[in-house]
Amino acid sequence: MRWLRQTLAMMALNLRTIPQRLSSSAVAIVGIAGVVVVFISVLSIAAGFSAAMRQSGSPQRALVMRSGADSEMTSGLGGPEADVIKQAPGIRRDGQTPLVSAELYVIIDLPKKSSPDSPANVPMRGIEPTAMKVREEVSVTQGRMLQFGTNEVIVGRGASVQFANLELGNTIVSGQNRWQVVGIFEADGGVAESEIWCDSRVLQGAYRRGNSYQSVLARLDSSDSLKAFTDWLTSNPAVNVMVRRENEYYAGQSRALTSLIQVVGYGIAALMGIGAIFGAILTMYTAVATRAREIATLRALGFNTGSVLVSVLGESLALGLIGGVLGGAAAYFAFNGYQTSTMNFQTFSQVAFAFRVTPELLVTGIVYALIMGLVGGLFPAIRAATLPIPSALREL
Amino acid sequence: MKYLPLVWKNLWRRKIRTTFTLLSIFVAFLLFGLLMTIRMAFTFGVDIAGADRLVLIHKVSLIMPLPVSYEPRLQTVPGVELATHNTWFGAYYQDPSNFFANIAVDPVPFLKIYPEYKLPADQMKAWLEDRQGVIVGKDLAERFGWKLGQRVPLTATIWQPKAGGQTWEFNIRGIYDGGDGVDKTQFFFRYDYLDENRRGGQGLVGWYIVKIADPAKAVALSHTFDEMFANSSAETKTTTEKGFVEGFAKQMGDIGAIMIAILTAVLFTMLLIAASTMAQSVRERTNELAVLKTLGFSGGLILTLVLAESLFIGLVGGGLGLGLAWLVVQGGDPTGGMLPIFVLPSRDVALGVGLMVLMGFLAGIMPAVGAMQLRITDALRRN
């Protein structure tokens, strides 16, 4: 008990006197906070991007593409094949209509609002009337749904924010085609919000695709219907396709970019962390050195070595905690929800997403800050506790 | 010069403190080297892209094909030296995650337009004799352990062979090399093989590259080309190759700006640490500095001595960090294909050295000025 009281007393003393050593403590706090801000902000890019991709797919839907295609863009299905696919078992029906939509996926060049001279690959999807029913989370929030058979389009919310000239009522000019924006839709933050949707038949004509599609999206009767659906299709000689659960498809599509960002983010944060630890060590050495005589006096009075050690560590942890909280708060307020877009290598098209500072990231950031504080304070604490009392008392 | 031993001794007064300060600066400049490399990697070679090469793509977007019949029409335009086409193939080797660029080209004009791809004459001859021949970049061959003469099967994702299945077979007839900054991870095969063997899409190419005689005429010729094909079934959009590559880099987002922002934060923090260390070290030596002044050392000399210490820390710590970064970069692209241009440009190395000197100077200047202006009697009285 005495040990505990001594430790608490010393820690209280250390913490109360921090304001006297404000400038050197500030160095450690700023150093740690800086690392935490960079760490959280870079990883929030990966978190936001993968969240957008994960939100996009539903386990209740199956995506059918030509066998061997690695994304919708490289796939190609004939009209007759699409008709066969629509006959497969396991598709939910709305009355007599199977909830299935044969779709085209192309990209058109539109400038980003942030770099108006430079075009970006904006995805454009040709859909069928059933598409809205197949995708339950999609709803038109402004304007109205497009009229099939015309050049009307609806634009995803993310796309309308990121790319120029996609507001309600605008006309998109692409090559010789003109598309009329009549509505803005939302899709729960998923990747569909980066897309422009039009009638697949009109798109086929505009792009001279004849009667061909690229993918068929089917709303399954239940998650378990996937096996029956897949087996019927893969054993059917009339089609040459592969089937993926939609959410797994999107998860796969985001893998490369997400891991790249994460590798870079963790790598940078690790190196910065080492630098910040050195900074913390320097600060704590200073803290210990300036109070060498006081600490030695306390030890001479009978405070035991263990308490000294723990109290110095406690001070270092406190600095780490303050740095971590400050860094986390700065990252959150500066970056959370920041809208941006980037090109996903795998699909060669833009994905609009928002930086996401998740609770897990904040906690990881604070834990990292505490680790930096702990490692930084260890050696100075040992030094403070074990320096021979006479030499410490003599120290300037 | 005779004061160097004094500077050295003063530095190592507190070995631990100096070591840790050196290590912080070391980490800062290691990061500098690595992040500058990443920034360069995300420019995708914009700097070396030819100013005398124009790229024509379909006006709607790059994924729309153009007719091969445009080539002879482009050749006849005055001011055009050579025009050729490229077609993206998008296949992979064994695993879909093994990404690399594979492109169908017309061998002779292609290598004429891109003299930076260096291929020995005998390998070129072998390529021209083998329809299924390919040339691959040195880095790509190393990555997969491919040798000359090896038969390599690729799994296609866009174009299926007429015979069925998805596999296209190629023979490695050449391995090309290039300078720093040249993408040596590409795979070039013959367009005639592609066009003859693919199911559908005959007579279509991906994009055109045109070498013009006078770079100053680039804008005018771009307009000429686009007007030639306006109102046809495949309208074009022409940009310089540099602009084309820049467009890609811009699509990724402003990676360059992010890297610079991070580096600024890092360097600022390390500067803070170095400055506080210097300030502390000078504060501790007030008595000694006063004694030196009594002995006749001028204020200016004291300033120089203190600055020399902080410059040493900056240059040695920074030099080691940058050196290690350079060594790491020599090891090549760690992502396995996503960053083909992975070099630390010498311009950034020079910038690094400049920053080291600046940091050393800034860290030491305040304590140095304080030391210079020290009044002997006040200093000696201070405990």
Side-chain angles (χ1 to χ4, degrees):
Chain A
M1 262 312 105
R2 202 176 46 165
W3 185 93
L4 190 61
R5 264 195 297 156
Q6 286 179 6
T7 312
L8 288 175
M10 281 202 78
M11 241 202 288
L13 177 68
N14 285 351
L15 292 175
R16 265 206 302 259
T17 54
I18 282 183
Q20 288 175 7
R21 297 182 294 283
L22 208 47
S23 57
S24 58
S25 310
V27 168
I29 293 176
V30 167
I32 293 178
V35 177
V36 171
V37 168
V38 170
F39 175 75
I40 292 183
S41 52
V42 173
L43 288 175
S44 70
I45 300 177
F49 178 75
S50 71
M53 297 302 276
R54 255 181 300 118
Q55 281 289 71
S56 316
S58 162
Q60 317 269 19
R61 296 197 289 257
L63 186 63
V64 184
M65 295 183 287
R66 191 196 58 209
S67 171
D70 57 359
S71 75
E72 284 184 275
M73 191 123 71
T74 55
S75 162
L77 297 168
E81 273 189 282
D83 290 333
V84 172
I85 295 169
K86 291 181 187 174
Q87 316 278 358
I91 303 180
R92 178 169 291 198
R93 285 171 183 267
D94 178 31
Q96 287 290 60
T97 341
L99 288 182
V100 79
S101 171
E103 302 183 340
L104 275 171
Y105 187 87
V106 300
I107 51 172
I108 61 173
D109 283 350
L110 289 176
K112 270 190 176 184
K113 280 188 189 160
S114 60
S115 52
D117 312 312
S118 193
N121 297 352
V122 181
M124 186 146 171
R125 184 182 291 276
I127 59 173
E128 293 193 317
T130 37
M132 299 300 274
K133 292 223 188 81
V134 175
R135 296 179 173 77
E136 293 147 351
E137 71 276 14
V138 177
S139 57
V140 178
T141 51
Q142 287 179 51
R144 58 174 172 81
M145 178 59 182
L146 66 101
Q147 241 179 324
F148 284 83
T150 66
N151 271 23
E152 294 180 353
V153 299
I154 50 175
V155 175
R157 186 180 47 138
S160 69
V161 165
Q162 286 296 313
F163 308 114
N165 209 21
L166 289 182
E167 278 95 37
L168 210 50
N170 279 5
T171 307
I172 304 171
V173 176
S174 168
Q176 293 173 311
N177 304 310
R178 276 163 182 49
W179 307 95
Q180 193 62 11
V181 181
V182 299
I184 311 272
F185 69 89
E186 286 188 23
D188 239 2
V191 101
E193 290 187 7
S194 317
E195 298 175 357
I196 302 174
W197 286 4
C198 63
D199 181 352
S200 55
R201 287 248 173 251
V202 176
L203 193 58
Q204 281 172 345
Y207 282 41
R208 292 186 184 79
R209 293 285 180 104
N211 185 19
S212 74
Y213 297 92
Q214 277 161 295
S215 64
V216 175
L217 187 66
R219 171 76 165 90
L220 296 168
D221 226 350
S222 75
S223 304
D224 309 316
S225 323
L226 184 66
K227 187 155 187 331
F229 182 69
T230 311
D231 289 342
W232 190 91
L233 283 172
T234 47
S235 57
N236 192 326
V239 296
N240 179 23
V241 294
M242 65 182 195
V243 182
R244 290 266 159 76
R245 215 183 272 277
E246 201 195 15
N247 58 335
E248 286 166 17
Y249 168 73
Y250 279 113
Q253 294 289 308
S254 68
R255 223 179 331 119
L257 193 54
T258 310
S259 32
L260 176 67
I261 298 176
Q262 280 176 333
V263 163
V264 171
Y266 275 107
I268 295 178
L271 281 174
M272 279 186 83
I274 295 177
I277 287 176
F278 294 144
I281 292 180
L282 279 171
T283 304
M284 291 313 297
Y285 260 114
T286 313
V288 162
T290 50
R291 286 173 299 147
R293 265 197 267 166
E294 287 138 36
I295 295 178
T297 312
L298 285 171
R299 279 170 62 201
L301 285 176
F303 278 72
N304 63 55
T305 334
S307 314
V308 173
L309 189 88
V310 173
S311 66
V312 174
L313 268 182
E315 178 182 349
S316 176
L317 278 171
L319 290 180
L321 185 65
I322 297 173
V325 169
L326 279 177
Y332 182 80
F333 288 115
F335 294 113
N336 191 34
Y338 179 68
Q339 297 268 12
T340 185
S341 67
T342 188
M343 181 165 76
N344 183 3
F345 275 79
Q346 280 175 287
T347 56
F348 205 54
S349 46
Q350 291 276 328
V351 176
F353 64 98
F355 281 50
R356 248 199 186 202
V357 179
T358 61
E360 288 89 20
L361 272 181
L362 283 171
V363 168
T364 314
I366 292 185
V367 167
Y368 193 33
L370 286 173
I371 293 176
M372 285 190 274
L374 186 72
V375 175
L378 195 60
F379 286 107
I382 293 176
R383 187 185 149 88
T386 55
L387 195 62
I389 300 180
S391 13
L393 285 173
R394 231 180 286 137
E395 224 159 275
L396 269 162
Chain B
M1 279 303 116
K2 57 187 171 181
Y3 300 114
L4 277 181
L6 187 60
V7 173
W8 182 258
K9 280 279 187 226
N10 277 330
L11 269 172
W12 294 105
R13 226 179 202 307
R14 292 244 191 260
K15 296 195 199 62
I16 296 182
R17 187 169 64 197
T18 310
T19 313
F20 279 128
T21 316
L22 273 173
L23 283 172
S24 325
I25 311 259
F26 168 79
V27 167
F29 280 92
L30 176 62
L31 265 174
F32 176 82
L34 292 175
L35 290 184
M36 282 293 145
T37 306
I38 294 180
R39 180 168 155 264
M40 177 72 176
F42 275 97
T43 60
F44 299 117
V46 159
D47 295 331
I48 52 138
D52 59 348
R53 293 194 287 251
L54 298 177
V55 174
L56 275 87
I57 62 172
H58 194 291
K59 192 165 184 195
V60 172
S61 76
L62 184 56
I63 64 158
M64 299 288 290
L66 292 170
V68 73
S69 58
Y70 282 9
E71 185 182 318
R73 293 174 65 182
L74 286 169
Q75 282 287 158
T76 59
V77 175
V80 168
E81 275 187 21
L82 203 48
T84 189
H85 52 77
N86 279 7
T87 307
W88 182 263
F89 192 52
Y92 57 85
Y93 178 62
Q94 293 177 342
D95 197 276
S97 58
N98 286 338
F99 174 82
F100 57 93
N102 38 85
I103 300 177
V105 304
D106 191 359
V108 173
F110 179 70
L111 287 178
K112 278 220 191 91
I113 292 190
Y114 284 103
E116 53 261 42
Y117 296 139
K118 305 208 183 329
L119 187 71
D122 57 325
Q123 291 182 10
M124 178 65 169
K125 193 159 163 302
W127 191 22
L128 288 173
E129 280 166 10
D130 181 2
R131 209 160 216 191
Q132 291 186 324
V134 305
I135 60 168
V136 300
K138 195 160 79 88
D139 293 340
L140 188 67
E142 267 171 39
R143 180 174 159 203
F144 291 124
W146 287 339
K147 305 266 178 296
L148 274 178
Q150 190 169 337
R151 197 160 173 78
V152 169
L154 291 189
T155 315
T157 56
I158 312 174
W159 305 110
Q160 315 272 305
K162 276 192 182 136
Q166 277 169 261
T167 313
W168 290 64
E169 305 249 318
F170 299 96
N171 304 315
I172 303 202
R173 291 294 172 207
I175 298 184
Y176 73 84
D177 203 346
D180 264 348
V182 169
D183 187 350
K184 298 187 272 288
T185 64
Q186 300 184 74
F187 181 107
F188 298 117
F189 64 102
R190 291 172 55 157
Y191 177 75
D192 51 4
Y193 178 44
L194 172 69
D195 207 30
E196 184 192 280
N197 208 24
R198 60 178 162 180
R199 214 191 300 167
Q202 266 69 26
L204 293 175
V205 301
W207 63 95
Y208 281 95
I209 304 169
V210 179
K211 182 157 172 12
I212 58 181
D214 183 3
K217 298 225 171 58
V219 176
L221 279 171
S222 307
H223 288 313
T224 312
F225 295 150
D226 292 339
E227 271 154 38
M228 256 167 76
F229 303 116
N231 296 324
S232 70
S233 61
E235 295 191 314
T236 60
K237 184 166 62 185
T238 310
T239 43
T240 58
E241 196 187 36
K242 212 180 180 88
F244 182 65
V245 177
E246 244 167 22
F248 270 107
K250 278 221 185 108
Q251 287 213 55
M252 288 299 295
D254 221 341
I255 306 278
I258 295 177
M259 294 294 138
I260 300 207
I262 295 177
L263 277 175
T264 310
V266 170
L267 289 174
F268 177 72
T269 312
M270 298 308 163
L271 177 63
L272 213 57
I273 293 173
S276 106
T277 310
M278 280 311 299
Q280 201 192 34
S281 126
V282 168
R283 236 196 333 260
E284 276 174 3
R285 288 182 276 155
T286 328
N287 274 17
E288 288 155 33
L289 289 169
V291 170
L292 283 177
K293 280 195 143 178
T294 321
L295 288 175
F297 278 60
S298 69
L301 185 53
I302 304 250
L303 178 94
T304 320
L305 288 177
V306 176
L307 271 182
E309 281 176 44
S310 68
L311 275 172
F312 175 86
I313 293 182
L315 283 169
V316 170
L320 286 173
L322 206 52
L324 182 62
W326 190 84
L327 278 173
V328 167
V329 168
Q330 296 305 100
D333 177 10
T335 62
M338 290 199 86
L339 298 172
I341 312 235
F342 202 71
V343 292
L344 181 58
S346 14
R347 174 199 58 199
D348 289 335
V349 173
L351 178 64
V353 174
L355 280 173
M356 281 179 231
V357 171
L358 185 64
M359 267 186 77
F361 181 79
L362 286 174
I365 190 67
M366 297 286 292
V369 168
M372 177 177 84
Q373 295 172 338
L374 208 53
R375 283 179 36 166
I376 302 178
T377 43
D378 290 343
L380 284 173
R381 216 181 294 144
R382 221 186 292 172
N383 211 354

